[in-house]
Structure formats: structure tokens, C-alpha cells
Amino acid sequence: MNDLKNLESLGLVLPSLAYIAGAILFGILGYVAFRPGRKTSTSSLTWTGVALMLYPYAVTQTWLLWAVGVALCGWLYVKWN
């Protein structure tokens, strides 16, 4: 427990469970979009899938992770149908 306090004093904090769940969920959805997008040469599906897989590495706030993820999934839904 003392190690956790030492890490927090350095500015390192563990992500919340909601953040981890969102990162996994949007990563899986991105992979699901990337595969058929690449096979059919549909660039909008491919790049949206890549964005869904990679953006959690750049976002640190949970609410922003979910907001961007839902927006990208909405874009994906529009382009897929």
C-alpha cells in the first residue's frame, strides 16, 4: 500500500474500472470494424476501426473516453449501414 502512495506522489494514478472497461470495449469494437473494412477495402471502416483501437492511449479522462468512443461508434454505425 505504501508503494501506491509513492506512485501517487509522482503523479501516477491507476485508471478506474470504467476507463478500463471502456478501453477494452472500444478496442474490441475497433477490431471488429477494422477486419471487414480492410478485407473490403472500405477506408472509412478501416480508419474508424484504427481510431477506436488507438485513441484510448491518448485520452486520460474517463468521460472523454466514453464520449469519443460513443461518437466514433455512431460514425461507424452510419458508415456501415
Side-chain angles (χ1 to χ4, degrees), residues 29-47:
L29 290 174
Y31 184 71
V32 167
F34 175 77
R35 292 281 308 227
R38 188 165 177 201
K39 285 183 181 178
T40 61
S41 298
T42 309
S43 63
S44 62
L45 289 180
T46 303
W47 289 110

Side-chain angles (χ1 to χ4, degrees), residues 3-79:
D3 293 333
L4 186 59
K5 291 189 187 280
N6 289 339
L7 289 175
E8 287 177 356
S9 69
L10 294 172
L12 300 172
V13 293
L14 297 175
S16 67
L17 184 60
Y19 184 89
I20 293 171
I24 291 171
L25 174 70
F26 294 128
I28 290 170
L29 290 174
Y31 184 71
V32 167
F34 175 77
R35 292 281 308 227
R38 188 165 177 201
K39 285 183 181 178
T40 61
S41 298
T42 309
S43 63
S44 62
L45 289 180
T46 303
W47 289 110
T48 306
V50 169
L52 275 167
M53 288 187 285
L54 295 180
Y55 86 94
Y57 293 106
V59 176
T60 59
Q61 297 163 334
T62 304
W63 69 270
L64 190 57
L65 175 95
W66 282 93
V68 172
V70 168
L72 284 173
C73 285
W75 172 259
L76 187 64
Y77 180 78
V78 168
K79 287 298 181 178

